[in-house]
Each structure stands twice: as structure tokens, then as C-alpha cells.
């Protein structure tokens, strides 16, 4: 056996990358890049045209890929939209289930999460996706059902747990609130809708509205 042959065999046995191992890795990277480009193009098209009017041909053109390439990653337009929800909205919902910081109050946590929502969702393209679901969900119940399972039901469960914790700690005095966690997130949804419908007529100070809402639920903050 020649020295080069021994060297290649030794590299393979040591788990080092070889020329044959590098090619699949590059292919995987290119496939991931194409998938990312498709998802980004899909978001652009859905926001610009709405769910009903968006065509796979337009997504492929915007992404710079052949239409057939889309089917290597997604079976249809609906599965592509679901991927957008998973990547753009679902991670935010996961933050609702984070443990309460040591020494912190439930109000502080809810306020921080709400402000994060206003900054990262309500006034961004993520908010456009939420508004799209509100607008077209009644005509496309499958995407509304998916959004409920992945986002709404998880968000309500996490918020209900926070409310119960606040009641136990004496931060909230009305126990019936735990039955209606939707009330806690109402300002965030108002901000999403107001942004697209009425902002040009009457700009909304969403953070001031949030503070008033939290005062109504938790009571005014005591001066420090």
C-alpha cells in the first residue's frame, strides 16, 4: 500500500473529512440555502398578495429556483405557510413558558413579554402574518386550525399558568381571570389590528395602553 493510500485511510479512520465526505456536506448546505430562500420568498409573496392569491410559480421566481425545486421541500402552499408560522411565530410563544426570574414578579414577566411582542411581532412582518391569518382564516380553516394548535392554544395555556401563579402570589385578586387568559393578551392583539387598519388615522401608543391594561389587572404600581 502506498503512503498516500495509507494517509487517506488513516484520515477516514480518524473521522476527518475526506473529499468524498465534503461533497454531501456542500450539497446539504446548498439545499438548506435554497429552502431558506424559498421560505423568505413565500413570506414576501404571502404578505404582498395574501394566501389565496399567492402562486407557487411566483414564489419560485422570487426565490430564484425552479418550481420543481419547491416540491423537494414542501408538498404544497399550505405546508409552506405552516413552515412560516413555525419559524416566525412559534418560537416567541415558547418564551411564555420560561420560568419566572428569581425575585421577579409575574407582572414584570408579562410586561417584558408583551413589550417583546410589540417590538418583534406587532410592528414587523411577523405581525403581517398574524393579520393575514385573521383576514383569510375563515376561508381557509386548515391554516386557522394549524395556527390555533401551534400558537393560540400554547399561548393561552402558558398565559393561564402565569395568571394562576399571580393569583397564588397575591398579585392578581380576581380568580376568574384564570378562566379568560385571552383578556391578558388583548392589548397585543389590538396593537396588531390597529397597526394595519387605523394607524394612519390615530397612531396608537401601544406601550402606554399596555401599562394601563396591566394596572387594571394587577393594580397600579407602588412608587419606589
Amino acid at each position: 500500500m502506498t503512503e498516500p493510500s495509507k494517509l487517506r485511510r488513516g484520515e477516514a479512520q480518524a473521522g476527518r473529512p475526506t473529499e468524498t465526505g465534503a461533497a454531501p456536506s456542500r450539497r446539504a448546505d446548498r439545499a438548506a440555502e435554497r429552502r431558506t430562500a424559498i421560505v423568505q420568498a413565500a413570506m414576501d409573496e404571502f404578505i404582498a398578495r395574501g394566501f389565496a392569491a399567492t402562486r407557487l410559480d411566483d414564489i419560485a421566481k422570487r426565490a430564484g429556483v425552479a418550481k420543481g425545486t419547491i416540491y423537494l421541500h414542501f408538498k404544497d402552499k399550505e405546508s409552506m405557510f405552516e413552515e412560516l408560522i413555525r419559524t416566525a411565530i412559534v418560537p416567541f410563544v415558547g418564551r411564555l413558558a420560561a420560568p419566572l426570574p428569581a425575585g421577579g414578579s409575574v407582572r414584570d414577566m408579562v410586561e417584558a413579554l408583551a413589550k417583546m411582542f410589540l417590538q418583534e411581532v406587532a410592528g414587523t412582518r411577523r405581525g403581517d402574518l398574524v393579520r393575514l391569518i385573521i383576514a383569510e382564516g375563515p376561508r381557509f380553516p386548515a391554516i386557522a386550525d394549524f395556527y390555533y394548535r401551534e400558537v393560540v392554544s400554547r399561548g393561552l395555556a402558558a398565559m393561564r399558568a402565569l395568571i394562576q401563579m399571580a393569583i397564588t402570589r397575591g398579585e392578581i385578586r380576581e380568580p376568574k381571570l384564570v378562566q379568560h387568559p385571552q383578556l391578558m393578551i388583548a392589548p397585543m392583539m389590538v396593537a396588531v389590528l390597529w397597526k394595519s387598519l387605523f394607524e394612519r388615522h390615530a397612531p396608537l401608543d401601544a406601550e402606554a395602553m399596555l401599562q394601563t391594561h396591566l394596572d387594571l389587572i394587577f393594580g397600579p404600581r407602588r412608587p419606589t
Side-chain angles (χ1 to χ4, degrees), residues 183-194:
L183 290 174
M184 189 72 88
I185 62 173
M188 292 179 273
M189 296 310 300
V190 169
V192 168
L193 294 174
W194 196 277

Side-chain angles (χ1 to χ4, degrees), residues 43-123:
M43 176 176 277
D44 293 338
E45 289 294 320
F46 283 130
I47 290 174
R49 302 173 185 271
F51 185 82
T54 293
R55 303 184 310 158
L56 292 183
D57 298 89
D58 296 323
I59 294 174
K61 182 178 180 180
R62 187 184 286 267
V65 301
K67 182 178 179 180
T69 302
I70 290 180
Y71 290 108
L72 297 176
H73 300 274
F74 304 99
K75 65 178 182 179
D76 52 25
K77 185 169 66 172
E78 182 179 307
S79 65
M80 197 178 302
F81 190 81
E82 291 176 355
E83 177 70 6
L84 282 176
I85 300 303
R86 288 193 191 95
T87 57
I89 307 295
V90 170
F92 175 83
V93 177
R95 300 178 193 177
L96 294 174
L100 193 68
S105 67
V106 175
R107 173 173 178 152
D108 289 338
M109 184 171 182
V110 172
E111 182 175 342
L113 290 168
K115 287 182 177 180
M116 191 181 303
F117 180 90
L118 294 176
Q119 294 168 1
E120 298 184 13
V121 178

Side-chain angles (χ1 to χ4, degrees), residues 1-202:
M1 181 180 293
T2 64
E3 288 301 318
S5 297
K6 292 179 180 179
L7 178 61
R8 283 195 295 270
R9 189 180 69 176
E11 289 178 346
Q13 290 174 344
R16 298 173 183 171
T18 62
E19 291 183 3
T20 56
S25 177
R26 288 195 294 270
R27 285 197 296 270
D29 289 343
R30 287 196 295 270
E33 290 172 359
R34 285 194 293 268
R35 182 183 179 88
T36 299
I38 291 169
V39 171
Q40 183 63 51
M43 176 176 277
D44 293 338
E45 289 294 320
F46 283 130
I47 290 174
R49 302 173 185 271
F51 185 82
T54 293
R55 303 184 310 158
L56 292 183
D57 298 89
D58 296 323
I59 294 174
K61 182 178 180 180
R62 187 184 286 267
V65 301
K67 182 178 179 180
T69 302
I70 290 180
Y71 290 108
L72 297 176
H73 300 274
F74 304 99
K75 65 178 182 179
D76 52 25
K77 185 169 66 172
E78 182 179 307
S79 65
M80 197 178 302
F81 190 81
E82 291 176 355
E83 177 70 6
L84 282 176
I85 300 303
R86 288 193 191 95
T87 57
I89 307 295
V90 170
F92 175 83
V93 177
R95 300 178 193 177
L96 294 174
L100 193 68
S105 67
V106 175
R107 173 173 178 152
D108 289 338
M109 184 171 182
V110 172
E111 182 175 342
L113 290 168
K115 287 182 177 180
M116 191 181 303
F117 180 90
L118 294 176
Q119 294 168 1
E120 298 184 13
V121 178
T124 70
R125 286 152 57 82
R126 292 185 180 97
D128 291 332
L129 286 178
V130 176
R131 287 185 282 270
L132 190 154
I133 292 167
I134 293 171
E136 300 199 45
R139 288 193 294 157
F140 299 96
I143 65 171
D145 291 347
F146 177 84
Y147 189 80
Y148 180 84
R149 290 194 306 272
E150 298 295 319
V151 177
V152 176
S153 63
R154 293 181 181 181
L156 290 179
M159 192 57 70
R160 184 177 285 112
L162 284 174
I163 293 171
Q164 185 60 65
M165 184 186 301
I167 292 171
T168 301
R169 291 162 58 103
E171 292 187 54
I172 292 178
R173 295 184 178 181
E174 178 49 73
K176 292 181 181 179
L177 185 61
V178 76
Q179 301 172 24
H180 306 288
Q182 296 90 341
L183 290 174
M184 189 72 88
I185 62 173
M188 292 179 273
M189 296 310 300
V190 169
V192 168
L193 294 174
W194 196 277
K195 181 74 175 176
S196 62
L197 295 174
F198 310 121
E199 186 73 9
R200 66 185 185 278
H201 301 297

